[in-house]
Amino acid sequence: MKDQLKYVRICRICVAGIVTLSSSPIIGSVQAAQGPVAQDNVTVIEITPQVLVFATTAGNVVASVGTDGALLVGTPSADSTARISSILAQRTRSSIRYVVIAPQDTAHSEGDAGWGRLGAFVAMHENALQRLGGNVMGPPPPLSEHFVQLGVDKPRVAFSEVLAFDLNGESIHVVHQTPGYSNADALTHFHVASVFYFGEVFPGDGYPMIDFAQGGKLDGFLKTLGGWTDAKFRIVPARGEVTNGASLKAFCDMITTVRGRVQHMIEARHSEAEIIAEHLTAEFDNRWGHGRVSPGAFVRAVYRSLTER
């Protein structure tokens, strides 16, 4: 509750200034959602008529679509841009497009996914953009060879704490969070639809990655997710199917349990190798052990977090 109140206070303070500058299966509370429809390399799920989820090869993208145009938040792949643009054109007559790119590790980043060349307003948290060579003083460095090959650019706009959008009958806030996956983590809240997107803080397909090189910290996952575990909240993970706050609670409980077990073994003077050999995640592996982070890698990251304080 304290984190929720802090979030609300930040939004109220920042909204006025920002606006003047004018991005488990579907269960229970997601009854409005329809089944997925595969379209080329994009899968589309409708949570409400105004809120869609596009699943791309790079990750999920949440969209607000309506008479005011479209806002995309997530990690769109460059090869999905043309198809998503076509779908949006069928949903709105407005040509206005806002895109907020969630943080990724730089090796897998696809920059602005080509949205800039289509005239979209593309933004990213300043810490993530700096890692791509943007948001710097003086002439920016040239694009990476990877970006040139993909035909994409860096986002051209950075935000520090809050981006606020009033679009399509929705109030949408993108709010910078305590570092978890990275120091560019943000919570995106679609207030009317009660939809949340956390990027890699809730990967959806497995154990979390703590990107220490990007300022990631284990406790940040619990601080960001802990206030939104009510089943009434609709949750879009970084990858995988739309779920609800109950999945966030299970995810947080898993992190808390594994952290406690690792801490107990550290206090008993066990080595890192001994702790990993104990398979402390065994009871959770069936649910969380099939994603990008292996059980052993997750335990190793927890150990590092607890011993580098």
Side-chain angles (χ1 to χ4, degrees):
M1 181 61 71
K2 185 179 294 182
D3 287 344
Q4 288 177 313
L5 291 174
K6 179 180 179 182
Y7 158 63
V8 171
R9 284 197 299 269
I10 290 174
C11 291
R12 286 174 176 169
I13 292 170
C14 297
V15 166
I18 295 291
V19 170
T20 58
L21 295 175
S22 7
S23 141
S24 343
I26 303 174
I27 57 177
S29 63
V30 199
Q31 294 175 351
Q34 300 175 353
V37 180
Q39 308 201 20
D40 295 341
N41 61 321
V42 178
T43 299
V44 187
I45 292 175
E46 183 179 284
I47 295 181
T48 74
Q50 290 77 38
V51 180
L52 310 178
V53 177
F54 298 102
T56 80
T57 56
N60 287 333
V61 180
V62 194
S64 170
V65 188
T67 56
D68 298 324
L71 162 68
L72 306 176
V73 183
T75 54
S77 62
D79 62 7
S80 72
T81 298
R83 187 59 189 153
I84 292 176
S85 182
S86 175
I87 294 169
L88 296 178
Q90 298 169 24
R91 292 276 188 153
T92 175
R93 294 182 179 180
S94 172
S95 61
I96 296 174
R97 302 289 183 265
Y98 304 97
V99 181
V100 179
I101 304 293
Q104 302 167 275
D105 65 283
T106 54
H108 291 93
S109 173
E110 299 195 20
D112 71 353
W115 283 97
R117 67 170 179 255
L118 298 181
F121 171 100
V122 187
M124 176 180 275
H125 188 268
E126 59 185 2
N127 292 338
L129 186 52
Q130 285 172 354
R131 286 189 278 271
L132 298 182
N135 193 37
V136 296
M137 300 296 290
L143 291 176
S144 67
E145 182 178 344
H146 179 58
F147 280 14
V148 172
Q149 291 174 346
L150 287 175
V152 302
D153 198 353
K154 302 183 294 287
R156 295 296 178 174
V157 178
F159 71 96
S160 297
E161 294 303 323
V162 179
L163 278 175
F165 298 88
D166 291 314
L167 294 171
N168 307 318
E170 262 284 6
S171 176
I172 304 161
H173 292 90
V174 184
V175 185
H176 184 221
Q177 299 293 298
T178 298
Y181 162 71
S182 78
N183 61 9
D185 294 339
L187 171 162
T188 301
H189 185 190
F190 292 68
H191 290 255
V192 176
S194 195
V195 170
F196 289 83
Y197 170 79
F198 301 93
E200 289 293 340
V201 179
F202 183 59
D205 61 351
Y207 291 115
M209 174 183 290
I210 306 170
D211 196 327
F212 295 100
Q214 297 191 67
K217 297 180 183 297
L218 178 64
D219 288 348
F221 289 87
L222 302 177
K223 290 178 180 177
T224 294
L225 302 177
W228 312 105
T229 57
D230 194 301
K232 68 183 180 182
F233 297 131
R234 302 170 180 182
I235 309 298
V236 179
R239 290 168 296 282
E241 297 178 316
V242 178
T243 183
N244 64 25
S247 291
L248 286 189
K249 185 177 188 310
F251 186 70
C252 291
D253 288 347
M254 175 275 294
I255 292 175
T256 299
T257 299
V258 174
R259 181 183 63 180
R261 291 171 179 173
V262 173
Q263 182 64 53
H264 177 74
M265 293 195 72
I266 290 172
E267 292 171 355
R269 299 186 180 280
H270 288 277
S271 68
E272 178 182 6
E274 290 172 333
I275 292 173
I276 293 172
E278 282 295 311
H279 303 294
L280 300 179
T281 64
E283 71 188 84
F284 304 111
D285 288 349
N286 187 52
R287 180 168 187 178
W288 306 109
H290 307 288
R292 296 183 175 185
V293 178
S294 69
F298 174 55
V299 172
R300 184 175 291 108
V302 173
Y303 175 87
R304 177 175 174 179
S305 295
L306 295 174
T307 55
E308 290 187 354
R309 286 179 174 177

